[in-house]
Amino acid sequence: MERVQFQQEQMLAELKDLVDKKLFTESETKQIFKKRTGFEIALVRRVANKSDFLRYLAYEMGLEQLRRKRAERLKIARGPSTVSDYALVKRQFQILERAVKKFKSDVDLWIQYIQVAKRERARSLVGKITARALQLHPNEPKLYILAASHEIENLSPSAARTLLQRGLRLNKESIELWKEYVKMELGYIETVRRRWDVLGIPAEDGEEGAAAARKEIVQGGIVKSVMTNAVKATKTIRMVSELQKVIESYGMSGELREALLVDLYGLWKEHMDARDENTR
């Protein structure tokens, strides 16, 4: 029970701060203390269940949501941070950290940890969690997709590309990973096109080599290369169908969309022709 007592001691400062700020009454904080103690006792018993951690987490999320609503309603002036401003979110992270240490093989728990950290904009923590999760679960495409998404959101497309390529080396038949890779490269086309527009750099002008490279990018050269590898790796009509959906739904020029679809259909035809040739 030493662990429970330690956690109880850690609560005192934040609960006092909540009362001092008039966000919770003393009666409410006593109830919070009692409720948390019950959760902590459940976690230190000999056989703690995943559901014990999730119930505790849900309770803390509800508390933090209530704290924010009350702070907004009371129009508490922004000033130097005090312990209750971050303690409830920190406790959510601590609960999830304890959970993934106990249930290392539970991928869904790792994903939930990443999602909570992303929601709270804990950028550094997200990177650390995803790295640990991928080390333990290198064959889980969902983790690579989450990690790559985090890098893209933080304007690191090269890091996202590296993550997806690493994931595909280990999971080359993952349709979801190939889809995300194509989406990322489509997004990259739009990013560089806008950048060049702002800088006044036409894709076709400039030094011959540089202009050719820019033209290749905006005309979908990288995307076509990824699609080629995807069809070769999976050899399934489902891969073609899923890529078709991505291309048809993604915001791009009609000319580029048509060119990519023609290329995709051509790739599948080549695959089928080669298969027919081999069966003769």
Side-chain angles (χ1 to χ4, degrees), residues 21-231:
K21 286 186 168 183
K22 296 182 171 54
L23 291 169
F24 288 83
T25 65
E26 286 192 14
S27 175
E28 286 175 323
T29 55
K30 286 178 181 177
Q31 185 61 32
I32 292 170
F33 185 88
K34 182 179 178 181
K35 193 79 173 175
R36 282 178 172 174
T37 299
F39 285 126
E40 289 293 339
I41 291 171
L43 296 191
V44 299
R45 66 187 179 190
R46 187 166 296 178
V47 185
N49 298 315
K50 176 182 172 181
S51 58
D52 295 325
F53 289 93
L54 294 180
R55 278 195 292 268
Y56 195 177
L57 177 65
Y59 177 74
E60 291 297 331
M61 286 179 171
L63 273 183
E64 174 60 8
Q65 188 176 22
L66 180 58
R67 184 197 70 81
R68 290 179 181 181
K69 284 182 178 178
R70 288 183 177 181
E72 185 178 352
R73 189 177 70 242
L74 293 172
K75 297 180 180 178
I76 295 176
R78 287 187 177 274
S81 293
T82 60
V83 64
S84 67
D85 292 332
Y86 56 82
L88 277 74
V89 170
K90 184 179 178 182
R91 189 172 295 276
Q92 292 173 37
F93 295 157
Q94 290 172 341
I95 293 166
L96 284 162
E97 181 64 30
R98 291 160 71 183
V100 296
K101 282 182 177 177
K102 188 170 185 64
F103 303 101
K104 293 183 177 68
S105 62
D106 194 316
V107 176
D108 288 339
L109 264 181
W110 284 101
I111 290 174
Q112 188 166 6
Y113 194 1
I114 293 166
Q115 289 172 335
V116 170
K118 284 183 73 172
R119 188 190 65 219
E120 297 299 336
R121 299 178 183 177
R123 178 180 174 181
S124 176
L125 181 60
V126 172
K128 291 175 182 176
I129 302 166
T130 52
R132 289 166 57 201
L134 285 170
Q135 190 172 22
L136 287 168
H137 304 284
N139 297 317
E140 284 292 339
K142 291 183 289 187
L143 291 173
Y144 290 99
I145 292 169
L146 269 175
S149 170
H150 172 66
E151 295 297 343
I152 291 170
E153 288 167 8
N154 288 284
L155 307 178
S156 299
S158 59
R161 185 178 291 113
T162 298
L163 278 164
L164 291 173
Q165 289 172 346
R166 174 184 159 198
L168 285 165
R169 281 197 298 271
L170 297 170
N171 307 275
K172 65 178 183 179
E173 295 182 0
S174 171
I175 289 175
E176 289 305 312
L177 270 177
W178 284 113
K179 281 172 58 180
E180 288 302 315
Y181 196 0
V182 168
K183 286 179 186 177
M184 193 208 74
E185 295 299 354
L186 286 171
Y188 181 68
I189 292 174
E190 185 61 19
T191 298
V192 296
R193 186 189 63 76
R194 288 177 181 172
R195 185 183 304 155
W196 292 337
D197 285 348
V198 169
L199 295 174
I201 304 174
E204 296 82 4
D205 294 347
E207 296 181 12
E208 186 175 344
R214 289 197 296 270
K215 187 175 181 180
E216 178 72 7
I217 290 172
V218 297
Q219 290 183 346
I222 298 175
V223 176
K224 291 175 183 178
S225 176
V226 174
M227 291 194 306
T228 299
N229 291 331
V231 173

